[in-house]
Amino acid sequence: MSVVNVNGSVAEYFSLLREMRGISPIAEKMLNLLCALQQKPQLSFEAQKVLLIYLTLLEDGNTRIPLDAERLYAKWEQKWNGLVVQAESRDALKSFKRTEPYLAADTFKPLIMSGVRDIAAGKYTQIIGDNATPLRLQQTPRCAYLISAKHLEDKNHIENIFKSGFFKESLLDGAAVQLAKDFVQGLLREGSPIHFDDRQAEVIARGVSQNLIVTGGPGTGKTTVIGFLLWKLFASDVDYLNWDLYMAAPSGKAADRLAESMDDTLREISESVRSENPRFVEKLVKASGYTLHRLLKYSVAKGGFTFNSGNPLPEKAIYIIDEASMIDVSLFAAFLQALPPSGNFKLFILGDPNQLPSVDAGAVLGNILEFDYNFVVKLIRSNRFNDESRIGVLAGKIQRGEEVSFEAAPFNARATYWEERDSVHLIDLDQGQTLSRREELRTVENLVRKWSLKFYAPLMDLAEKVDPDIPSECVTPEQRSICEKLWNAANQARILSAERRGNRGVETLNQIVAETLTPNSSTRFVGQILIFNRNQNEFKLYNGDTGIVVKSNRHEQYFLMLKKQSKFVFYPLSYFAEDCLEPSFAITIHKSQGSGYPNVMMFLPTRKGHPLLNRQILYTGITRTKKQSLTIVATPETFKAACETVIERDTGIEL
C-alpha cells in the first residue's frame, strides 16, 4: 500500500479504507448520493470522511455513531488498530515486507474532530434533518448521535411495541412455581433426567398468562422448557389446540432445530400421558420451523414483507422465536410490527445475549435485556455442565468477565489429550517463540493430524457401509443402525477457528484433515463432512446444514447423507453446485452457533488487537462443547486479550 495522507482527497481516503479492507464498495456510492443530495452548502472534505467512518462502523453492526469527537475517535481507534493487525497478518502470509509502517490511529484524530464539529453544526439539512432526510440527529442525555432514518425508525418501532403492553410485567406467585414443577413432574416418563429448577418452572408459571423473553446459555433448557410450556397451555385451555403454532428463527438451520426440539419433549413424556392426550402430541409432532423471512413472507417484487403493520400476522397464534441474539434491528422491528395489533396471540422469544450478535446491524436482544424487566426469565442452571465442570466453570468466568488463569503447555504428540471427560487443554504452539510461517504450519499440522486420526478417521469405514440406494421404506434396522453410528461419529468432534484464512484458518485446517484421511487430492471423498454455505430452498436445506459424503456402488456416484427430523435422507451431490458446499471438519466459530459437539478444538487469532479476538468469540466457541473435551489453541497473551475484549455495538434502544 502506498503512503496516504488522510488529509488528502476524499477519493484517496476511500482508497485507503478499501485497501485496508475496512469498507465495502457500495459505501462510495452511498457517499456520492449524500453529496448529490446536499447541494448547499456542500459537504466539507472532513464531513465526508467522517461519513465514511460512519459507513465503516455501520458495516460492523453499529446503528449509529456519537457526534462526540473523543467517543467517536475511541471507536475508530479500536477499529483501525484491528484493520492494521489484519493487514500485517496478510503481509506475513505473503512474506511481504513493508518499507513504511501502517498509519497510526491518532493520525485520524484531527479530521474526526473537525468533521464531527462540522456535521453537528446542523448546516447539512438536506441530508440530516427531521423530515424525509436519509440521516438524522438523535439527541440523548449523553450526547447527539448520527443515525440513518431507517435505523431510527426501526429503533422507535421496537421501543413503542415494548411500551405498548405486548410484554407485561406481573407479580409472581411462589406457589405457582411449585405447581409448575409438579405439573412437569407428572408428565415425565420413568427415568427421565429432566428436573426443573425454579427459573425453568417460572417460564411455565408466567408463560400461561403473559408473553416472555427466555434467555440462558447453551444447555440451560430454553427449548425444552418451551415444549413443556406448550403442553401446559394446551392443558389449561384446549382452545389453544385450535391456534396456529409458528416456530421461527433467523436461519433455516435454527428453525429446523427448534421444531425438532418438540420431538425431544415428547420423548420425555410418559407413554400413558401421550396416549391420554393424542391431540397434544399431534400438535407438537406437526410443528414446523420457519425462517423469519419465510414467516413474514418476504417478497422480492415488493422489496419487503407481505406481513407488516398494514397486513398483520394471524391472530390466535403462538409464536416462538429462537436464536434471538442473531436477529438484526430491522428484522426484529419488522417482526414486531407484523404482530396482530389486538394482542390476541402468544409470543415467546428465546436467546443467549452472550453469544455473537447478528451479522447485520444491532445487538437487539442484549440491548433489551439491559433494562431487566420481569417479562424476562433468565435460565442459569446448565444441564450440559454441573457446578464442578471445568468447561462450565471456564465458560462462566469468561461470561462474567472474571480473571482466568492460563497455564498453557506445548503440544505433545504422545499425550492422551481427549480421553478424559470434562477436560480442558490449553495449548500454546508458539511457546514464546516467533515462528516462521513454515514452522507454525508444521506445528498446526502435527496437532490437527493427531485430532483427525482420533476423531475423523473412523468415519471412513462407517461411511463405506452406508447404502444410499435403499429406499427409505425398505431400510433395515441394521442399515439404520449404521447410519446412526456414522452420524454420531461425525458429530463427536469439530475444529473451530475464528478465521477463514491463514495457517490457523478453516481453509488450511480442512486441507490438513483431508490430506490426513485420504492420499488422493479429490475434493470429495467418502466420510467427508460438508456444510452448506447458502440455502437450497427447493430441497428445504439451509445455510449451516451439515451432511456426510457416502457412495452408491450401484451408480458410482457420491451422495450427501443428512438427518432431517430424526430421519436420514440422501441427495446426489450432483444436485448441488460445487461451490454451495464446503468441507466442515473445521468451521468458523460464527458458523458453529447453535451447534454442539462432545469434543471441540478451537484456534484463536495469533495477534492481540485482531477484531476476531474477543470475549463473544471465545464464549461462543467454548460453549459449543458438550461435556467431553475442550482444547484451546492460543498464547497466554491472546487468550487474555480475548477474555478482556468485548464487542460493543451501539444499537440505542431505550425502554
Side-chain angles (χ1 to χ4, degrees), residues 202-235:
E202 182 183 342
V203 174
I204 293 177
R206 287 190 183 280
V208 171
S209 59
Q210 67 180 110
N211 299 324
L212 292 177
I213 296 176
V214 182
T215 71
T220 52
K222 297 185 292 294
T223 55
T224 300
V225 169
I226 290 298
F228 284 96
L229 171 56
L230 288 173
W231 195 283
K232 176 63 174 175
L233 283 171
F234 303 151

Side-chain angles (χ1 to χ4, degrees), residues 218 354-356 384-385 391 395 398 494 496-498 588-590 592-593 595-597 599-604 614-626 629-632:
N354 296 300
Q355 289 191 40
L356 291 164
R384 189 172 293 182
F385 308 112
I391 300 172
I398 288 169
R494 201 65 90 239
L496 309 182
S497 176
T588 62
I589 296 172
H590 278 84
S592 74
Q593 284 195 100
S595 301
Y597 313 94
N599 302 277
V600 165
M601 178 161 66
M602 174 171 54
F603 287 83
L604 295 180
N614 57 66
R615 188 183 300 169
Q616 286 95 327
I617 285 274
L618 183 61
Y619 172 81
T620 301
I622 288 172
T623 54
R624 298 312 91 205
T625 315
K626 289 184 175 179
S629 73
L630 167 68
T631 302
I632 302 173

Side-chain angles (χ1 to χ4, degrees), residues 7-257:
N7 296 314
S9 71
V10 175
E12 287 180 313
Y13 184 81
F14 178 78
S15 295
L16 167 66
L17 299 183
R18 279 292 295 148
E19 288 185 50
M20 295 294 288
R21 302 186 185 181
I23 199 167
S24 64
I26 197 171
E28 185 175 34
K29 295 181 180 179
M30 294 174 69
L31 178 64
N32 290 338
L33 176 61
L34 291 172
C35 289
L37 291 172
Q38 181 58 48
Q39 296 288 328
K40 292 182 181 180
Q42 293 183 345
L43 285 163
S44 67
F45 284 179
E46 291 79 10
Q48 290 183 54
K49 291 173 183 178
V50 167
L51 288 175
L52 285 175
I53 287 177
Y54 161 68
L55 294 172
T56 299
L57 295 174
L58 198 66
E59 292 177 14
D60 284 350
N62 298 281
T63 64
R64 61 185 187 174
I65 61 168
L67 288 179
D68 174 291
E70 290 295 334
R71 294 180 63 207
L72 179 56
Y73 172 70
K75 288 184 75 71
W76 180 247
E77 181 181 32
Q78 184 179 31
K79 168 73 175 179
W80 180 257
N81 288 340
L83 293 176
V84 169
V85 167
Q86 289 179 300
E88 289 175 343
S89 297
R90 291 193 297 271
D91 290 345
L93 285 174
K94 298 174 184 176
S95 300
F96 174 72
K97 294 184 178 180
R98 291 180 51 80
T99 56
E100 296 285 344
Y102 287 99
L103 294 174
D106 58 11
T107 309
F108 294 85
K109 197 165 189 178
L111 80 84
I112 288 175
M113 295 182 69
S114 178
V116 165
R117 186 167 55 246
D118 208 13
I119 290 172
K123 57 186 178 180
Y124 300 127
T125 56
Q126 291 167 302
I127 62 168
I128 306 172
D130 296 326
N131 299 308
T133 54
L135 301 175
R136 304 287 172 85
L137 287 180
Q138 179 191 5
Q139 297 290 340
T140 74
R142 184 181 297 181
C143 72
Y145 289 86
L146 181 68
I147 187 171
S148 74
K150 178 67 170 69
H151 284 147
L152 183 61
E153 181 182 17
D154 292 336
K155 183 188 79 71
N156 289 340
H157 281 313
I158 292 170
E159 291 175 350
N160 291 337
I161 288 168
F162 269 87
K163 293 172 183 176
S164 70
F166 276 6
F167 288 94
K168 298 176 181 176
E169 292 200 278
S170 64
L171 296 174
L172 179 65
D173 181 358
V177 172
Q178 185 58 50
L179 286 172
K181 286 183 178 181
D182 295 340
F183 172 78
V184 172
Q185 197 63 37
L187 300 178
L188 297 177
R189 62 175 175 83
E190 186 177 348
S192 173
I194 289 180
H195 179 75
F196 275 17
D197 64 14
D198 285 352
R199 288 177 183 258
Q200 291 168 319
E202 182 183 342
V203 174
I204 293 177
R206 287 190 183 280
V208 171
S209 59
Q210 67 180 110
N211 299 324
L212 292 177
I213 296 176
V214 182
T215 71
T220 52
K222 297 185 292 294
T223 55
T224 300
V225 169
I226 290 298
F228 284 96
L229 171 56
L230 288 173
W231 195 283
K232 176 63 174 175
L233 283 171
F234 303 151
S236 65
D237 187 345
V238 292
D239 188 47
Y240 281 122
L241 289 167
N242 300 318
W243 286 31
D244 293 323
L245 175 58
Y246 298 100
M247 298 185 175
S251 71
K253 178 183 175 184
D256 274 359
R257 192 171 54 250

